[in-house]
Amino acid sequence: MSKIQSPRGCPDIFPEDVMKRHFIINSARVLARSYGFKEHETPIFEHSEVFAKNLGENTDIVSKEMYSFTDKGGEGFTLRPEATASMARLFISHKLFREIPYKVFYQGPMFRHERPQMGRQRQFTQIGVENLGLRDPKIDAETIELGYRLLMHLNPDQKWQVQINCIGTNEDRESYKKVLVEFLQARAAELSEESQKRLLTNPLRILDSKSESDQQILNQAPSIEDFINPTSQKEFSEIKTLLEVLNVPFKVNTRLVRGLDYYNDTVFEIINTSLGAQNAVVAGGRYDTLIKNMGGPDCPSFGWAAGVERLSLLTTTPEQHYPKIGVVDMDHSDDKYLMQVTKALRDLDSSFTSHSPTTDLSLKDEALVQNETIEIFWSSTGNFSKQMKKCEAHGCQFVIIYGPNEIQKNAVQIKNMGTGEQVESNLSKLNKFSFKWV
Ligand code: ATP
Ligand code: MG
């Protein structure tokens, strides 16, 4: 019998990782909101032309990575491989251009048929922002800074590197392309197979070839810098100044081109070299013509997307702030009281964030309930001192103890295992007790 498995490149996600992903997505959501972005959700599939027409027919995505299908009504759809085109579609469908500048945050699954490897999946999750309606160096700088700030929040100890480039207008790129192709054609035989193909289909992508020998050849190639029109050049230098003002360290990489056709002028990536080949975690840029080309009004825009799986590899979740609490029922008698104690423990934190403690008394002997933030150990067998020893062995910083006396008074004893101190507390006052354990 063949193994039962999820589709290739579409891993199942386990609780610890789910928590980390929530932390990443929620941090991004809250941070983006603080810059004025509003969250939208769009369907995970769109009419195929939303992507096929707008990302560029020679891009990797459109030429080989899309999950496209015809539905029972005979219509052609595609699982979204990225969300910028979806957001542009949303913007036009709902005439949001009446409200420009319009700032969108999104998160959700994307689908690309590529070769799965570390940091590269077929179903993956992106978070992203789109700043729609303005062409202004302040927008470029501020939106890049948002990406950098998010990474610093997720892990300030990692070395994040912001790389930026200016790829000018379509015309600038066309003139550069001619000169680049001429240069590379003369050395075509030395290029990698992939780059030889790209020479015919998408020559600018050769600039980001992963092949060492291609890169050596490119060292002598003409640079896009010399083909940029004066307006774009001026704006690019303003953007660099503003990034300095915002304290975002960056590097200009004149070979950074990005894989999609809709970009112009500023493009950027934030990379982390510890990821190996899949090193870009945030990527984006300016797209001033996409919305117009899709049938909307003139609407210069800027956005980026980040891969949650890659971020997850580089994120450390915050420290746990709750102690481990043991519960000792001296008489093992009163299930009703146990439920009340459990309820009171749950009332200790009613913020219901993803960091709220978990209280879970699984009704088995020697139930040890482990979770992200708090651990409750409850022992229902053995005499009092045996139960206390178990709590100690499980590293409980506090033990909540009750017997008939306490039950009668609707109280519990709280023992601090570190100091040996013990106090009585009414159950309804349990949340006034400070469970400080260090
Ligand atoms: P790469 O060069 O790594 O293929 P890309 O240029 O295709 O990236 P974008 O389309 O700009 O990437 O997507 C933005 C971000 O989404 C990437 O920087 C990455 O973090 C993430 N991402 C893209 N493709 C995948 C994938 N197949 N699996 C996981 N994450 C991905
Ligand atoms: Mg890709």
Side-chain angles (χ1 to χ4, degrees), residues 71-121:
D71 80 351
K72 292 208 164 67
E75 282 193 271
F77 293 107
T78 294
L79 296 186
R80 63 179 178 200
E82 59 105 56
T84 300
S86 303
M87 295 304 148
R89 199 272 308 142
L90 162 107
F91 187 72
I92 297 169
S93 303
H94 300 276
K95 300 196 169 54
L96 296 173
F97 38 78
R98 294 182 189 138
E99 299 174 45
I100 52 173
Y102 198 83
K103 297 159 91 171
V104 180
F105 168 81
Y106 64 84
Q107 60 81 29
M110 310 290 155
F111 305 85
R112 295 182 195 177
H113 191 271
E114 36 188 349
R115 197 168 65 78
Q117 50 199 292
M118 191 177 69
R120 191 176 294 290
Q121 300 177 180

Side-chain angles (χ1 to χ4, degrees), residues 60-61 65 112 114 120 205 310:
D60 286 349
I61 292 183
E65 295 174 358
R112 295 182 195 177
E114 36 188 349
R120 191 176 294 290
R205 276 314 290 274
R310 290 186 202 176

Side-chain angles (χ1 to χ4, degrees), residues 60-61 65 81-82 112 114-115 117 119-126 205 208 210 258-260 262-263 269-270 277-284 304-311:
D60 286 349
I61 292 183
E65 295 174 358
E82 59 105 56
R112 295 182 195 177
E114 36 188 349
R115 197 168 65 78
Q117 50 199 292
R120 191 176 294 290
Q121 300 177 180
R122 290 183 173 175
Q123 175 171 334
F124 59 100
T125 304
Q126 280 184 340
R205 276 314 290 274
D208 66 25
K210 301 255 157 38
R258 308 288 307 118
L260 301 168
Y262 54 61
Y263 287 115
E269 284 185 355
I270 309 184
Q278 272 54 251
N279 62 8
V281 283
V282 178
W304 55 250
V308 171
E309 288 74 16
R310 290 186 202 176
L311 286 174

Side-chain angles (χ1 to χ4, degrees), residues 46-289:
E46 295 276 351
H47 291 286
S48 290
E49 68 215 39
V50 168
F51 308 111
K53 270 199 187 157
N54 297 302
L55 308 189
E57 60 176 335
N58 289 319
T59 59
D60 286 349
I61 292 183
V62 175
S63 67
K64 53 188 188 199
E65 295 174 358
M66 296 209 301
Y67 280 95
S68 299
F69 61 97
T70 307
D71 80 351
K72 292 208 164 67
E75 282 193 271
F77 293 107
T78 294
L79 296 186
R80 63 179 178 200
E82 59 105 56
T84 300
S86 303
M87 295 304 148
R89 199 272 308 142
L90 162 107
F91 187 72
I92 297 169
S93 303
H94 300 276
K95 300 196 169 54
L96 296 173
F97 38 78
R98 294 182 189 138
E99 299 174 45
I100 52 173
Y102 198 83
K103 297 159 91 171
V104 180
F105 168 81
Y106 64 84
Q107 60 81 29
M110 310 290 155
F111 305 85
R112 295 182 195 177
H113 191 271
E114 36 188 349
R115 197 168 65 78
Q117 50 199 292
M118 191 177 69
R120 191 176 294 290
Q121 300 177 180
R122 290 183 173 175
Q123 175 171 334
F124 59 100
T125 304
Q126 280 184 340
I127 45 182
V129 292
E130 312 294 349
N131 204 326
L132 306 159
L134 290 179
R135 179 173 174 130
D136 181 334
K138 292 198 282 300
I139 298 290
D140 303 41
E142 164 179 280
T143 315
I144 295 172
E145 191 260 348
L146 166 62
Y148 180 71
R149 188 191 290 248
L150 173 65
L151 300 184
M152 289 302 278
H153 172 71
L154 296 179
N155 194 339
D157 300 325
Q158 283 288 340
K159 288 217 163 52
W160 308 109
Q161 192 186 76
V162 180
Q163 298 198 346
I164 58 170
N165 193 20
C166 176
I167 58 170
T169 59
N170 231 340
E171 295 76 59
D172 297 343
R173 281 194 302 289
E174 283 308 316
S175 14
Y176 174 56
K177 223 187 269 178
K178 266 195 213 123
V179 180
L180 180 71
V181 168
E182 224 167 81
F183 169 85
L184 290 173
Q185 247 155 8
R187 303 185 63 174
E190 298 162 63
L191 288 172
S192 66
E193 209 178 308
E194 182 75 44
S195 293
Q196 287 183 11
K197 267 192 233 149
R198 283 190 162 145
L199 200 48
L200 307 170
T201 56
N202 196 353
L204 288 185
R205 276 314 290 274
I206 297 175
L207 295 174
D208 66 25
S209 163
K210 301 255 157 38
S211 144
E212 273 286 318
S213 57
D214 285 357
Q215 285 298 334
Q216 298 221 323
I217 295 170
L218 289 165
N219 283 341
Q220 280 117 49
S223 163
I224 198 166
E225 265 179 309
D226 303 324
F227 294 79
I228 305 298
N229 69 83
T231 311
S232 297
Q233 268 184 37
K234 185 172 160 279
E235 287 182 0
F236 190 50
S237 95
E238 282 174 44
I239 291 162
K240 289 186 282 186
T241 307
L242 293 175
L243 284 173
E244 278 162 20
V245 169
L246 292 170
N247 266 330
V248 176
F250 64 87
K251 234 178 158 168
V252 174
N253 173 1
T254 53
R255 288 188 204 161
L256 183 65
V257 283
R258 308 288 307 118
L260 301 168
D261 282 3
Y262 54 61
Y263 287 115
N264 62 275
D265 294 302
T266 320
V267 291
F268 82 103
E269 284 185 355
I270 309 184
I271 65 170
N272 184 296
T273 42
S274 65
L275 283 181
Q278 272 54 251
N279 62 8
V281 283
V282 178
R286 178 157 280 289
Y287 51 95
D288 290 343
T289 51

